């Protein structure tokens, strides 16, 4: 009898996930204990540098300047109160997210109307002014059914920020979201992005991380119907003393869905630390799905640490494909030898290899104005170290 | 002028059991405008010879000398050797993701010449070289060696040979893995290079078939890290008929 019950429940599977990687959520702050750093989801994070975001420091709404550049037709009302918190299906799974949602007095929204194609990027600039107070923010992006748009978030300045961005991609919609963390050296950001991908919708996330003292971003994709696609590309460059952490979770909650996660990072300078956790769960219901996740790190100098952990949990074997790859290394000697055997001096060969490493990803972005900017930024980062090395 | 002179070259590699000697004293001189073929069974040290001349860090030179027109190559870095006029076509060319063939060729040409090539003639030169090797012009937008077929990789090596115009080319099993059409295209590329004034070629191969298209001035049989026998084109014919057995047995005695 018990066996039958379990079978029925399994067949209807979307129930509890028994895994420490994605604990049960709650909006109640007190349901999340103050982390000690020993927890699986916190063990890589330098809690002491979070300026109390993870414990009890008061969170306020500002000062933080949020400016929108909105093409015609795009709406962005501010919604007071709690009505939009969790609108995408999101439930906070850690204390900082719960605290951010509880403290944010309102929600900034961006809504792309149904059947609308927005031909220039929607730009959102979030700038901290260096005031000492820790800030909470909640934002919701909604791409209504069959719309098509690109949203570019740019985070800059100095701030201590805990934020949640919920993204709802309606049925058949195509949404690209670009996130650029280009903070000043003293900034701390712990961000949470949660996207619900509708039936036959496609979502592309481009996650760029350069600046800040500690940047830890959680990004979760789930599917509200079959046929949805999520492509999540990331590029990061950690300098001396910087901590950059990306925690990805793709929850295949519907059949025939696809996900492709590729993050590439470079590290240079003493104490540069990057963390990449790539979790993929294929639920019993998610037959015929296809998933791939990949993380590559290029360690440019001594004294850096790159942690990279891909996790794949499969509850059905009836899938098209599932794969992951992770590699962290120094310069490939064979690549350098090949280039140098063509007369290219060592420093120039290194520069070519790093450019190539990132170009490979940058050319998949397909947002032309951003590609140029990223090439330039990579060049500027390289000038700090690699070009100087010889 | 181009003379590549290898004298009593000894080379070892690090293994788990300590250093292992691969080349046990190789002496060869490729004179001005000459093409020499080095033939030998697998594991005889042919590729080690190619890579140690080019300066691959895996190999340790324990004795002997290599000079190009009297300049000591062994004293130079890998890129200095290339700028001195040495070119190595690799058996397994390396993928460099994200670096386009066009960018790679221009960077290499600029490094070798010490100045950037003139844009207009350069584009023409590149397209011409690609066309002669039966490679589509769109080839230059692809990442270096990434996703290339075996034949495309070798033809790309030959395009580099043509454009970078070294004094001496060491071709490491450039014929391996090619079908007959690709072999002909690659051989024509080698022959075009040989027609230029005073170019030396060291053609390393396991098989005799490429020698039907590229006629060597000298043939050397390589066994167990040494030149076992040298001769003219007739030596290749003997190998074609009888294989390497005679030489392997002689070396084992």
């Amino acid at each position: 009898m018990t066996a039958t019950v379990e079978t029925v429940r399994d067949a209807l599977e979307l129930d509890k996930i028994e895994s420490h990687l994605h604990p049960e959520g709650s909006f109640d702050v007190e349901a999340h204990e103050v982390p000690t750093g020993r927890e699986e989801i916190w063990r890589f994070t330098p809690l002491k540098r979070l300026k109390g975001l993870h414990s009890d420091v008061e969170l306020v709404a500002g000062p933080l300047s949020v400016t929108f550049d909105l093409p015609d037709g795009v709406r962005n009302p501010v919604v007071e109160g709690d009505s939009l918190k969790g609108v995408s299906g999101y439930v906070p799974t850690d204390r900082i997210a719960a605290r951010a949602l509880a403290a944010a007095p309102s929600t900034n929204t961006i809504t792309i109307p149904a059947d609308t194609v927005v031909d220039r990027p929607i730009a959102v600039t979030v700038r901290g002014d260096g005031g000492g107070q820790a800030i909470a923010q909640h934002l919701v992006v909604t791409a209504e059914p069959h719309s098509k748009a690109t949203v570019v978030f740019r985070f800059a300045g100095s701030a201590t920020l805990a934020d949640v961005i919920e993204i709802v991609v309606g049925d058949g919609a195509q949404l690209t979201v670009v996130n650029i963390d280009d903070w000043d050296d003293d900034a701390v950001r712990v961000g949470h992005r949660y996207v619900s991908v509708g039936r036959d919708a496609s979502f592309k996330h481009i996650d760029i991380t350069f600046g800040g003292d500690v940047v830890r971003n959680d990004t979760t994709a789930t599917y509200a119907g079959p046929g949805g696609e999520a492509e999540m590309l990331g590029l990061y460059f950690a300098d001396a003393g910087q901590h950059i952490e990306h925690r990805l979770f793709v929850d295949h909650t519907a059949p025939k869905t696809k996900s492709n996660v590729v993050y590439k990072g470079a590290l240079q300078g003493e104490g540069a630390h990057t963390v990449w956790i790539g979790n993929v769960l294929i639920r019993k219901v998610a037959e015929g799905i296809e998933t791939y996740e990949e993380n590559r790190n290029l360690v440019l100098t001594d004294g850096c640490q790159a942690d990279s952990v891909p996790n794949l949990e499969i509850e059905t074997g009836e899938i098209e494909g599932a794969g992951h790859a992770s590699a962290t290394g120094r310069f490939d000697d064979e690549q350098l030898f090949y280039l140098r055997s063509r007369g290219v001096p060592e420093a120039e060969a290194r520069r070519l290899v790093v450019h190539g490493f990132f170009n490979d990803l940058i050319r998949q972005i397909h947002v032309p104005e951003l590609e140029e900017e990223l090439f330039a930024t990579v060049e500027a980062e390289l000038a700090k170290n690699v070009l100087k090395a010889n | 002028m181009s003379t590549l002179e290898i004298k009593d070259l000894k080379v070892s590699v690090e293994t788990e059991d300590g250093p292992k000697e691969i080349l046990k004293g190789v002496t060869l001189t490729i004179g001005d405008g000459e093409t020499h073929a080095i033939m030998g069974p697998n594991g005889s040290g042919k590729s080690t010879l190619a890579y140690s001349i080019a300066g691959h860090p895996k190999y340790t030179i324990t004795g002997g000398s290599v000079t190009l027109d009297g300049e000591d190559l062994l004293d130079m870095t890998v890129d200095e050797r290339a700028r001195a006029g040495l070119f190595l076509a690799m058996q397994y060319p390396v993928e460099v993701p994200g670096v386009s063939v066009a960018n790679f060729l221009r960077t290499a040409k600029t490094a070798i010449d010490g100045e950037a090539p003139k844009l207009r003639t350069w584009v023409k030169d590149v397209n011409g070289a690609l066309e002669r090797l039966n490679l589509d012009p769109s080839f230059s937008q692809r990442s270096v060696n990434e996703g290339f077929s075996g034949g495309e990789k070798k033809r790309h090596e030959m395009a580099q040979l043509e454009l970078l115009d070294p004094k001496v080319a060491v071709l490491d099993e450039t014929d391996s893995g090619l079908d007959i059409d690709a072999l002909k295209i690659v051989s024509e590329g080698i022959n075009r290079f040989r027609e230029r004034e005073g170019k030396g070629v060291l053609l390393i191969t396991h098989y005799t078939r490429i020698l039907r298209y590229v006629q060597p001035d000298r043939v050397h049989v390589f066994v167990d890290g040494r030149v076992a026998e040298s001769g003219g084109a007739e030596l290749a014919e003997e190998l074609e008929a009888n294989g390497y057995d005679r030489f392997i047995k002689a070396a084992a005695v």
Side-chain angles (χ1 to χ4, degrees):
Chain A
M1 188 62 208
T2 314
T4 318
V5 170
E6 278 178 4
T7 315
V8 172
R9 197 178 58 202
D10 284 353
L12 295 172
E13 155 70 43
L14 267 189
D15 57 4
K16 246 168 61 169
I17 318 158
E18 300 284 341
S19 172
H20 63 281
L21 295 170
H22 18 83
E24 195 134 335
S26 170
F27 287 96
D28 177 9
V29 172
E30 293 318 312
H32 304 274
E33 282 184 28
V34 175
T36 63
R38 286 188 295 275
E39 300 79 2
E40 179 59 33
I41 64 165
W42 292 107
R43 68 188 178 101
F44 294 107
T45 312
L47 295 176
K48 284 187 182 141
R49 284 156 64 188
L50 293 185
K51 300 183 180 171
L53 286 180
H54 64 295
S55 52
D56 296 304
V57 71
E58 190 197 357
L59 296 174
V60 296
L64 190 70
S65 98
V66 184
T67 51
F68 294 86
D69 176 10
L70 299 176
D72 290 345
V74 178
R75 309 188 299 268
N76 80 319
V78 174
V79 176
E80 296 298 328
D82 295 336
S83 62
L84 291 183
K85 292 171 182 173
V87 69
S88 63
Y90 179 60
V91 182
T93 53
D94 69 59
R95 185 175 170 91
I96 296 180
R99 270 165 48 74
L101 282 186
S106 61
T107 300
N108 273 307
T109 67
I110 296 171
T111 300
I112 300 119
D115 300 307
T116 305
V117 174
V118 181
D119 53 8
R120 72 177 172 94
I122 300 160
V124 184
T125 304
V126 179
R127 177 170 285 281
D129 73 351
Q133 285 199 284
I135 297 162
Q137 196 189 41
H138 182 229
L139 225 142
V140 172
V141 179
T142 308
E144 292 185 347
H146 305 290
S147 63
K148 184 177 178 185
T150 296
V151 182
V152 179
F153 287 102
R154 187 181 297 275
F155 293 85
S158 169
T160 302
L161 174 68
D163 71 307
V164 174
I165 299 177
E166 296 186 64
I167 300 165
V168 180
V169 189
D171 292 351
Q174 296 172 44
L175 180 68
T176 296
V177 172
V178 180
N179 176 95
I180 303 170
D181 278 290
D182 190 16
W183 298 99
D184 290 349
D185 288 345
D186 62 345
V188 174
R189 180 196 184 191
V190 179
H192 303 78
R193 288 83 63 105
Y194 185 92
V195 56
S196 167
V197 181
R199 183 186 184 101
D200 299 325
S202 70
F203 172 67
K204 185 167 184 171
H205 195 236
I206 294 151
D207 201 2
I208 314 289
T209 323
F210 286 112
D213 178 46
V214 178
V215 176
R216 173 182 150 132
N217 285 328
D218 279 40
T219 309
T220 299
T222 65
Y223 299 85
E229 293 184 19
E231 181 171 27
M232 297 151 87
L233 307 177
L235 188 163
Y236 49 87
F237 213 125
D239 291 332
Q242 251 189 314
H243 178 92
I244 294 177
E245 179 166 350
H246 288 287
R247 310 183 68 89
L248 289 303
F249 177 35
V250 179
D251 194 352
H252 278 280
T253 45
K256 301 272 183 193
T257 50
K258 284 186 183 171
S259 64
N260 180 41
V261 179
V262 182
Y263 273 62
K264 287 188 161 192
L267 299 86
Q268 59 182 1
E270 194 66 34
H273 186 201
T274 65
V275 180
W276 182 87
I277 311 291
N279 295 330
V280 173
L281 173 63
I282 302 169
R283 306 233 191 186
K284 194 150 250 170
V285 69
E287 293 191 353
I289 68 102
E290 210 177 321
T291 175
Y292 182 72
E293 51 173 346
E294 176 180 335
N295 176 226
R296 297 199 182 276
N297 294 297
L298 194 51
V299 178
L300 302 177
T301 69
D302 290 336
C304 308
Q305 185 180 339
D307 290 295
S308 180
V309 188
N311 294 298
L312 184 58
E313 298 179 21
I314 303 183
E315 295 183 347
T316 175
E318 301 295 319
I319 58 171
E320 286 293 311
H324 61 215
S326 165
T328 297
R330 291 177 172 270
F331 281 105
D332 182 332
D333 287 341
E334 295 302 324
Q335 285 180 347
L336 290 180
F337 175 73
Y338 187 72
L339 295 169
R340 294 182 68 196
S341 77
R342 271 43 176 162
V344 181
E346 187 172 0
E348 177 77 2
R350 285 173 185 273
R351 198 184 66 88
L352 266 183
V353 170
V354 180
H355 267 274
F357 176 77
F358 284 126
N359 289 359
D360 222 22
L361 189 86
I362 292 172
R363 67 187 178 187
Q364 294 175 46
I365 291 176
H366 301 303
V367 182
E369 46 276 74
L370 188 64
E371 290 177 19
E372 282 305 309
E373 181 189 334
L374 290 178
F375 285 130
T377 310
V378 167
E379 186 69 26
E381 288 286 336
L382 286 176
K384 289 182 192 169
N385 236 305
V386 176
L387 295 184
K388 238 169 41 184
N390 286 279
Chain B
M1 194 191 82
S2 63
T3 303
L4 181 70
E5 215 170 353
I6 304 165
K7 275 191 193 155
D8 199 26
L9 184 66
K10 292 178 180 161
V11 173
S12 67
V13 291
E14 278 304 318
T15 69
E16 282 172 15
D17 308 323
K20 179 170 188 269
E21 190 168 56
I22 308 281
L23 298 188
K24 300 169 178 175
V26 176
T27 300
L28 268 182
T29 300
I30 319 271
D32 195 32
E34 291 179 359
T35 295
H36 289 219
I38 289 190
M39 307 198 56
N42 290 328
S44 57
K46 304 187 300 286
S47 285
T48 299
L49 178 65
Y51 279 85
S52 44
I53 294 171
H56 194 285
K58 184 177 152 193
Y59 301 100
T60 309
I61 312 287
T62 54
S65 68
V66 180
T67 59
L68 177 57
D69 292 340
E71 285 188 87
D72 181 4
L73 284 183
L74 300 182
D75 202 33
M76 299 180 192
T77 63
V78 175
D79 43 293
E80 283 168 350
R81 294 178 202 206
R83 294 198 292 276
L86 181 74
F87 179 84
L88 169 64
M90 296 186 197
Q91 185 180 1
Y92 303 110
V94 182
E95 293 182 5
V96 191
V99 176
S100 69
V101 167
N103 187 11
F104 167 64
L105 291 174
R106 189 167 32 84
T107 305
K109 185 67 176 170
T110 303
I112 298 246
D113 289 0
E115 59 176 355
K118 296 225 166 22
L119 194 61
R120 198 189 306 163
T121 51
W122 176 243
V123 171
K124 219 175 92 202
D125 290 348
V126 170
N127 288 338
L130 294 179
E131 195 185 327
R132 281 186 287 280
L133 288 156
N134 212 7
L135 293 165
D136 193 83
S138 67
F139 190 81
S140 61
Q141 295 312 311
R142 294 171 67 184
S143 286
V144 172
N145 292 318
E146 193 182 39
F148 289 12
S149 68
E152 284 175 333
K153 283 183 184 170
K154 299 302 174 67
R155 283 182 278 155
H156 177 227
E157 296 288 283
M158 290 306 103
Q160 293 170 49
L161 174 66
E162 181 160 345
L163 291 164
L164 300 181
D165 194 32
K167 291 178 178 173
V168 171
V170 178
L171 310 177
D172 185 23
E173 306 214 14
T174 296
D175 55 331
S176 68
L178 296 181
D179 62 32
I180 192 70
D181 291 335
L183 180 66
K184 282 182 188 167
I185 291 168
V186 163
S187 299
E188 284 162 13
I190 299 170
N191 287 329
R192 278 195 299 277
F193 175 70
R194 294 169 70 203
E195 281 162 17
R196 297 180 190 172
E197 183 72 28
K199 302 295 184 185
V201 173
L202 184 59
L203 183 68
I204 295 174
T205 180
H206 184 75
Y207 305 102
T208 50
R209 58 178 195 150
I210 192 172
L211 304 184
R212 280 178 233 149
Y213 305 101
V214 180
Q215 312 289 334
D217 299 297
R218 300 282 290 164
V219 174
H220 309 278
V221 180
F222 218 67
V223 179
D224 193 27
R226 284 193 188 89
V227 175
E229 193 165 317
S230 298
E234 76 287 350
L235 187 54
E237 282 157 27
E238 191 204 327
L239 287 170
E240 168 99 39
N242 304 324
Y244 292 111
D245 281 1
R246 172 165 80 82
F247 303 99
I248 294 170
K249 280 181 194 139
V253 172

